[in-house]
């Protein structure tokens, strides 16, 4: 036993080169006269780029230094203090996204500051956004063909333009790096470690309204106050009699909303009251109706919040900074003659776009306040103008999102993801959140395939940036032989969760094996590629607060927690 630990510990040291030996400084070294030292052997091994060619290329870029220095100051905030303090960022003034197209034989890639042998594909923002992504940690690698594969229909424009901007081409073979769509079981079984697909096998169950309730209500029984953000729900299959009793004794003018358990776009939804005839139809559920929504210009609205999960065990959850606000198109009213009016009570875009009152948001200032869809940015400005603390509101939305993901964790893990395929999945969810007049967020549902259609300039801007940021964050590996050799050497070990308690700064190399380190580093790496995403979990600030909501403690969640708790930097 003792022996194996020692071997593991040695392996760790060989794989994770000290950061100083990474190739991150290469660009600055070879272009600066005063610092023109020769590169160390390990640097030569890490980046296989013809230096002569880089020199020529960099000279032409030097003239743009000033503009790019400005750009650097706008880069994503790097969450890892040690890196910033040690000033290990790549000299971003020497590279910019245009190089992907101007120099055909090289490709810009993101190089991990923790694992210099790991490169991921850099996704420059598509041109229509006229924005530049953070240049931190970029290096050049010999260009390779990059392929995506599609299932079913032609994907949304925002997905295609993100692929195009990064130099991806469509493929029908098995040489893809990203599979977009619902992959077959055989495809999933045969995925290589560096391939990624946009659905977890268990994701479909969370998109069903009945499953979501079943899982959230389980946690709600343990934490009634903390999980009070989902309206009480009754599955007509199981809860019909109970609901009828509740309805009988409810005050006059109480409303509920009846929905199909597995449908979308407002289909089959209607409001009911004490007198509506109801049967125990198993295809439906009934939910308490939030009858006091917060209104803007007298209209009801809900928020579409984009949430990205890149791993379930350990859990990694991100929320996008921007999103959509969808308005009803008739002024709010609870009069009994109005309860059948869908343009008053439903905020779905697919419902309201049929209304003659629907106003497209083309992001023109005079039009914007009246538009039937807003960005979160516009929404926050409006709240601010009304003296409402939007930061507090969004803090509680993040809380709802994270608690929901934690409650759904076991559901998502149900179709057991093997160790081998742990890193193959990511999922973008669309959370529908209603805000009541007390500014309390309510979770209405979680959409597995949020619409990525762009019916206005506003949609195009938000969704194109979202998708590009998502692909950048998930870290699609730019495959090198060295990385592959390291990956296939990996072994799995039975992990005992109690070990974590005994780990500290001095002994972690004996107690933590290479796979554990990889898992921790992936979290830290993703935090360096955030774009407009905010990391909800694992987050140093709140990881302890949310620990209690997990049904089962998981080794790697706990390990990361321990790492944060310890405070010292085990990794570099
Ligand atoms: P769908 O999947 O068909 O879009 P949702 O559950 O999102 O179904 O409901 C559609 C719309 O109905 C929501 O956008 C919201 O405006 C309204 N709605 C749904 N549930 C409630 C509720 N409990 N209280 C108030 N309004 C609701």
């Amino acid at each position: 036993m003792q022996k194996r630990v020692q071997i593991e510990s040695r392996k760790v040291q060989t794989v994770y080169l000290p950061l100083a030996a990474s190739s991150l400084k290469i660009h600055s070294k070879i272009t600066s006269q005063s610092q023109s030292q020769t590169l160390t052997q390990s640097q030569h091994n890490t980046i296989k780029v013809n230096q002569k060619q880089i020199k020529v290329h960099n000279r032409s870029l030097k003239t743009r230094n000033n503009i790019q220095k400005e750009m650097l100051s706008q880069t994503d905030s790097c969450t890892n203090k040690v890196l910033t303090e040690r000033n290990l960022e790549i000299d971003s003034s020497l590279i910019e996204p245009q190089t992907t197209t101007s120099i055909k034989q090289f490709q810009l890639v993101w190089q991990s500051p923790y694992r210099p042998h790991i490169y991921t594909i850099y996704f420059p923002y598509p041109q229509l956004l006229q924005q530049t992504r953070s240049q931190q940690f970029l290096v050049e690698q010999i260009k390779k063909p990059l392929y995506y594969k599609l299932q079913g229909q032609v994907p949304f424009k925002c997905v295609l333009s993100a692929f195009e901007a990064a130099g991806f081409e469509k493929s029908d073979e098995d040489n893809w790096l990203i599979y977009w769509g619902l992959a077959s079981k055989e495809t999933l079984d045969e995925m290589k470690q560096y391939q990624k697909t946009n659905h977890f096998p268990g994701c479909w169950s969370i998109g069903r309204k009945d499953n979501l309730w079943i899982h959230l209500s389980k946690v709600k029984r343990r934490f009634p106050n903390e999980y009070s953000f989902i309206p009480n729900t009754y599955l007509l299959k199981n809860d019909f009699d109970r609901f009828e009793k509740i309805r009988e004794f409810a005050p006059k003018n109480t409303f509920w909303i009846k929905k199909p358990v597995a449908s979308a776009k407002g289909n089959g939804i209607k409001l009911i009251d004490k007198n509506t005839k109801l049967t125990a139809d198993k295809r439906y559920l009934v939910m308490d109706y939030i009858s006091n929504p917060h209104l803007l210009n007298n209209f009801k609205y809900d928020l579409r919040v984009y949430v990205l999960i890149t791993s379930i065990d350990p859990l990694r959850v991100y929320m996008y900074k921007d999103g959509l606000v969808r308005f009803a198109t008739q002024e709010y009213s609870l009069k009994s003659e109005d309860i059948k009016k869908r343009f008053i009570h439903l905020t779905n875009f697919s419902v309201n776009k049929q209304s003659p009152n629907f106003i497209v948001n083309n992001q023109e200032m005079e039009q914007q306040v009246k538009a039937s869809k807003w960005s979160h940015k516009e929404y926050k400005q409006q709240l601010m103008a009304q003296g409402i603390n939007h930061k507090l509101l969004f803090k509680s939305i993040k809380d709802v999102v994270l608690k929901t993901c934690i409650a759904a964790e076991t559901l998502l893990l149900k179709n057991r993801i093997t160790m081998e395929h742990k890193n193959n999945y990511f999922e973008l969810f669309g959370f529908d959140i209603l805000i009541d007049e007390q500014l309390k967020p309510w979770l209405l549902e979680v959409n597995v395939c949020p619409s990525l259609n762009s019916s206005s300039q506003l949609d195009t801007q938000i969704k194109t940036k979202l998708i590009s940021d998502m692909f950048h964050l998930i870290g699609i590996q730019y495959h090198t032989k060295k990385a592959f050799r390291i990956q296939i050497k990996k072994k799995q070990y039975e992990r005992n969760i109690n070990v974590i308690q005994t780990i500290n700064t001095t002994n972690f190399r004996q107690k933590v094996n290479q796979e554990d380190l990889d898992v921790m580093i992936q979290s830290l790496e993703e935090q360096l590629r955030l774009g407009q995403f905010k990391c909800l979990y694992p987050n140093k600030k709140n990881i302890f607060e949310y620990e209690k909501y997990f049904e089962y403690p998981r080794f790697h969640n706990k390990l990361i927690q321990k790492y944060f708790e310890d405070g010292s930097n085990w990794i570099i």
Side-chain angles (χ1 to χ4, degrees):
M1 184 58 202
Q2 185 66 21
K3 212 171 173 186
R4 200 183 77 183
V5 170
Q6 278 172 4
I7 291 166
E8 276 175 42
S9 137
R10 263 205 309 279
K11 244 199 277 173
V12 167
Q13 292 188 343
T14 51
V15 172
Y16 300 110
L17 297 173
L19 262 174
S22 91
S23 62
L24 294 175
K25 281 181 179 168
I26 286 182
H27 282 275
S28 47
K29 278 188 177 169
I30 57 181
T31 49
S32 154
Q33 294 292 328
S34 60
Q35 297 173 357
S36 61
Q37 305 147 359
T38 44
L39 300 174
T40 64
Q41 190 54 45
S42 60
Q43 284 166 335
H44 276 295
N45 292 340
T46 324
I47 184 163
K48 294 183 172 47
V49 178
N50 181 330
Q51 290 188 11
K52 256 188 189 168
Q53 278 166 308
I54 290 180
K55 254 185 193 171
V56 175
H57 167 52
N58 282 338
R59 222 174 287 137
S60 68
L61 289 172
K62 260 181 157 179
T63 49
R64 300 177 183 141
N65 269 4
N66 289 342
I67 308 169
Q68 285 153 344
K69 260 180 207 154
E70 242 172 67
M71 276 177 356
L72 181 63
S73 65
Q74 293 163 8
T75 56
D76 298 341
S77 55
C78 166
T79 48
N80 189 301
K81 260 198 188 139
V82 179
L83 287 179
T84 338
E85 282 161 13
R86 287 204 201 165
N87 204 12
L88 282 164
E89 297 98 339
I90 187 171
D91 181 354
S92 74
S93 64
L94 302 169
I95 38 173
E96 57 175 22
Q98 284 91 321
T99 51
T100 337
T101 49
S102 62
I103 295 205
K104 288 279 185 272
Q105 64 270 48
F106 294 115
Q107 175 102 30
L108 277 181
V109 291
W110 188 92
Q111 184 184 30
S112 168
Y114 303 102
R115 304 180 292 177
H117 59 283
I118 296 285
Y119 303 97
T120 64
I121 293 160
Y122 173 69
F123 278 80
Y125 285 129
Q127 220 161 18
L128 70 97
L129 293 176
Q130 300 190 329
Q131 286 179 44
T132 312
R133 179 181 300 290
S134 163
Q135 313 276 298
Q136 265 185 327
F137 308 122
L138 297 190
V139 291
E140 285 176 313
Q141 277 280 358
I142 306 293
K143 195 171 172 62
K144 284 184 193 172
L146 306 173
Y147 295 111
Y148 64 88
K149 190 167 181 174
L150 301 175
Q151 173 265 335
Q153 85 283 32
V154 178
F156 303 101
K157 219 167 157 201
C158 52
V159 177
L160 286 183
S161 53
F163 280 143
E164 267 167 31
F168 272 76
E169 286 170 36
K170 185 170 172 278
S171 167
D172 295 321
E173 312 288 316
D174 289 336
N175 51 1
W176 50 272
L177 293 173
I178 305 190
Y179 191 105
W180 185 265
L182 180 57
S184 66
K185 190 173 176 309
E186 296 78 64
T187 308
L188 297 183
D189 287 346
E190 282 163 24
M191 271 191 296
K192 315 260 185 336
Q193 280 179 335
Y194 54 84
Q195 293 179 312
K196 292 205 187 257
T197 185
N198 65 322
H199 293 300
F200 284 97
C203 70
W204 305 99
S205 34
I206 191 180
R208 281 183 59 117
K209 297 176 174 74
D210 50 353
N211 280 340
L212 184 68
W213 167 250
I214 289 168
H215 275 258
L216 280 174
S217 58
K218 234 165 65 186
V219 196
K220 194 176 173 181
R221 256 172 262 142
R222 284 166 52 217
F223 302 99
N225 295 331
E226 291 94 330
Y227 273 77
S228 65
F229 55 79
I230 180 151
N232 282 325
T233 302
Y234 310 89
L235 310 183
L236 291 183
K237 183 172 103 180
N238 308 329
D239 308 325
F240 180 74
D241 293 337
R242 188 164 66 90
F243 175 65
E244 285 300 58
K245 270 256 138 29
I246 287 170
R247 201 155 65 132
E248 193 187 331
F249 293 105
K252 229 173 94 191
N253 290 335
T254 306
F255 299 103
W256 295 268
I257 188 162
K258 182 181 160 206
K259 311 177 185 185
V261 291
S263 186
K265 300 182 176 178
N267 290 328
I269 295 190
K270 66 175 192 179
L271 258 69
I272 61 168
D273 60 16
K274 282 181 70 104
N275 305 318
T276 316
K277 242 181 143 4
L278 213 57
T279 57
D281 189 337
K282 63 175 189 226
R283 293 168 305 165
Y284 287 90
L285 57 76
V286 170
M287 202 182 230
D288 284 354
Y289 188 65
I290 310 301
S291 55
N292 61 338
H294 182 250
L295 305 179
L296 283 168
N297 305 319
N298 297 328
F299 291 99
K300 176 177 172 178
Y301 65 86
D302 77 347
L303 303 180
R304 165 54 56 89
V305 174
Y306 295 104
V307 175
L308 174 66
I309 297 192
T310 58
S311 166
I312 299 169
D313 180 13
L315 189 64
R316 296 204 293 264
V317 184
Y318 303 88
M319 184 171 127
Y320 206 57
K321 213 172 158 189
D322 212 343
L324 295 168
V325 184
R326 289 107 31 114
F327 284 87
T329 40
Q330 249 179 282
E331 290 195 1
Y332 193 65
S333 155
L334 266 182
K335 289 189 193 135
S336 51
E337 65 267 27
D338 287 333
I339 71 160
K340 287 204 173 121
K341 294 185 179 157
R342 291 161 71 80
F343 295 151
I344 295 179
H345 293 284
L346 304 191
T347 50
N348 303 73
F349 166 68
S350 36
V351 170
N352 287 285
K353 70 177 178 189
Q354 292 158 14
S355 159
N357 300 335
F358 187 87
I359 299 175
V360 175
N361 187 335
N362 280 325
Q363 296 184 296
E364 288 159 10
M365 280 317 279
E366 325 100 64
Q367 185 92 339
Q368 185 264 319
V369 192
K370 294 186 201 145
S372 306
K373 240 190 210 184
W374 293 2
S375 66
H376 284 188
K377 203 170 148 201
E378 290 164 338
Y379 174 64
K380 286 173 190 170
Q381 279 164 359
Q382 194 55 225
L383 294 185
M384 223 155 52
Q386 296 186 12
I388 295 173
N389 186 343
H390 64 80
K391 285 197 181 140
L392 212 59
L393 173 64
F394 274 81
K395 195 168 172 237
S396 40
I397 292 173
K398 284 178 194 154
D399 179 64
V400 166
V401 166
L402 185 50
K403 281 179 180 156
T404 305
C405 294
I406 292 173
E409 184 230 22
T410 41
L411 187 64
L412 287 165
L413 274 176
K414 216 169 166 191
N415 294 340
R416 194 77 213 154
I417 299 164
T418 59
M419 284 299 286
E420 195 193 348
H421 289 142
K422 238 178 152 162
N423 290 320
N424 290 116
Y425 303 102
F426 63 98
E427 187 86 43
L428 182 71
F429 292 103
F431 278 54
D432 290 348
I433 308 259
L434 186 81
I435 311 297
D436 72 15
E437 61 189 4
Q438 259 83 52
L439 298 176
K440 171 184 160 111
W442 291 89
L443 177 70
L444 300 184
E445 76 159 335
V446 175
N447 291 278
V448 172
C449 288
S451 164
L452 296 175
N453 260 328
S454 295
S455 58
S456 63
Q457 265 176 38
L458 176 89
D459 278 331
T460 308
Q461 288 285 323
I462 293 176
K463 292 174 185 175
T464 307
K465 198 163 179 190
L466 164 75
I467 296 300
S468 176
D469 276 348
M470 175 181 79
F471 284 147
H472 190 68
L473 190 157
I474 59 172
I476 297 151
Q477 273 197 32
Y478 194 80
H479 223 53
T480 61
K481 278 189 186 142
K482 186 170 176 192
F484 188 63
R485 275 206 310 275
I486 288 165
Q487 282 196 2
I488 54 175
K489 264 199 254 163
K490 270 202 237 168
K491 283 215 182 101
Q492 295 159 24
Y493 300 96
E494 278 294 308
R495 313 302 287 129
N496 175 357
I497 206 157
N498 295 327
V499 167
I500 294 172
Q501 306 233 337
T502 65
I503 298 179
N504 59 40
T505 318
T506 42
N507 68 11
F508 85 91
R509 280 193 184 269
Q510 280 78 48
K511 305 228 172 189
V512 171
N513 68 31
Q514 186 178 313
E515 191 225 325
D516 301 333
L517 262 184
D518 267 326
V519 169
M520 288 173 60
I521 287 173
Q522 275 159 11
S523 299
L524 302 177
E525 284 170 348
E526 285 182 358
Q527 302 204 12
L528 297 174
R529 295 191 298 256
L530 287 175
Q532 296 288 298
F533 280 99
K534 288 258 167 264
C535 178
L536 302 192
Y537 194 93
N539 185 322
K540 216 192 297 207
K541 287 190 195 140
N542 61 17
I543 195 162
F544 306 100
E545 189 190 323
Y546 287 91
E547 187 187 1
K548 59 177 180 283
Y549 303 123
F550 283 86
E551 191 172 355
Y552 302 104
R554 310 237 179 243
F555 185 86
H556 286 123
N557 287 337
K558 283 273 196 198
L559 183 65
I560 292 172
Q561 186 173 332
K562 180 74 186 185
Y563 170 69
F564 286 149
E565 191 179 36
D566 191 67
S568 50
N569 209 333
W570 302 350
I571 291 169
I572 38 180

